[in-house]
Amino acid sequence: MKRLTILWVFVALLWGGCDDFLTSRDNTQVLEKTLFADREGVEDALYGIYSGLAKPELYGFYVPCRMDLLAQFYKPGNTALYDVLHYDFLKPAGREVCNSIWKTMYRSISDINSFLANLDAYEGESLMFGDLYRGEALGLRAYLHFDLLRMYAPVKLGERGIPYITRFGSSVTSFSTVKECYNLIIDDLLEAEKLLRQDDTLLMLPRVRSHEFVICRNREVHFNWYAVQATLARVYYMRGEPGDLEKAGEYARAVIDSEKFPLISDPKDARFVVAGVVAETEAVWGLSNKNLYDPMAECFLTTSDYSAYKPSDSDMSLYESKAGNDWRKEWLIAPPGTGGSTRWVKIIDPVEAGISSLMPAGVEGVNQIRVTEMYLIAAEAALESHPETARKYLEDLVSSRGLERFEGELTLENIDKEWRRELAQEGQVWFRMKHRHPETVEAVDRNVVTMTEEMWQLLIPDDEFEFREDFTM
């Protein structure tokens, strides 16, 4: 694979917490010897990886926003993005989306592989938390490759997937098949699972906000052992081989049954449970970042028709229910300054936006996996064999959202509705759609798009094939 230039945007870690990550170093230098001289330097390097993932260009904003654009949650003011809404990735706007995500994510994978290589070569004093460092890095590598796979690869396991890169350097990595990629992802996650078992005591309720060692604080903003379990649930759910749905359900239930991620109950101001924060109890894993308001507000709260991402019409009644008052409908409101026009405010910092003086509980940042998704996977896994168990998972979820019961017949279609209600603005609904593979999708402009296999795959950048003799594999 044509190697991406590595950018190390590293850390001056403030020992008062592990979320003040950013002091930029000269990005023309890779300072392995300086960083990997002692435990503090190793942790600086690890936090540098997290800070890169949390930036707006990646999971801080751009990636989940684009995935939710594909899931038809937004009416973008920029009409060029309607090509993306219609899954035409050959047009300039589509190519820009595809190229940007691919290159930024592989740059982070390169950083992770460099970290692992330097950890292998470390010769300093014994690392008390060496297993945590390696486990988190392996888990992150698997997580990024998995997202790339479900973005850019077909569903069929025998077809071309993506390059799964495990070494730092300039060598070309061949494409693996989709099945081979899944095997490599699972291998990395299972190894991470072995290394991160310490989270059984480190990730507690209430969350650990102070500790002698920074690595032991705020484990919900580290790729922890439970994040491994939840990612394995996603992986088996998406792969779809015989028995995979049952495995996905087992991992989802393990996260739920740990009782470390309870659903909220009777919150004072529930509309802000995830607004600008990694959800205090529901977040299995999130990324810490104190500077995400501006890029989000520019798209979601702007009064400019060009830059606005307004809710799609179909979502205006998304939370209507006869089974009670679904407080999730307050994720769609008309904030001050928008002229009464409805906006998505689910992930917007309410204090910055002037919507509320109540600051949500949790570390400032963005959620990557919430336990609510595990309830939905567990419900689907039990749907045919144990329908009453499936209904119980859904009843627990919707009752924590203000509803009296799960409304309607227990069907896949009704579970689909709960995915859209619960996981809007979190970048996961598009993958659910790809898993379900409908023949048509209704776009926000009311055009009905007849889906081809190519439309379910983002377009791999042309320059990925520049040095490949067969131009494919």
Side-chain angles (χ1 to χ4, degrees), residues 265-281:
S265 59
D266 194 24
K268 292 181 180 179
D269 199 344
R271 79 174 74 161
F272 300 129
V273 64
V274 295
V277 294
V278 177
E280 178 75 354
T281 65

Side-chain angles (χ1 to χ4, degrees), residues 136-192:
E136 289 181 35
L138 287 171
L140 290 172
R141 185 169 75 184
Y143 187 90
L144 287 167
H145 278 108
F146 175 55
D147 270 1
L148 284 162
L149 185 69
R150 55 184 182 163
M151 289 177 194
Y152 290 89
V155 172
K156 293 181 180 178
L157 298 179
E159 297 191 11
R160 186 190 71 199
I162 59 170
Y164 198 97
I165 302 176
T166 59
R167 291 178 297 176
F168 175 70
S170 57
S171 60
V172 175
T173 300
S174 298
F175 279 77
S176 298
T177 66
V178 174
K179 184 172 184 176
E180 290 168 340
C181 288
Y182 273 115
N183 290 339
L184 290 164
I185 289 164
I186 291 169
D187 286 347
D188 269 351
L189 288 170
L190 291 178
E191 182 62 24

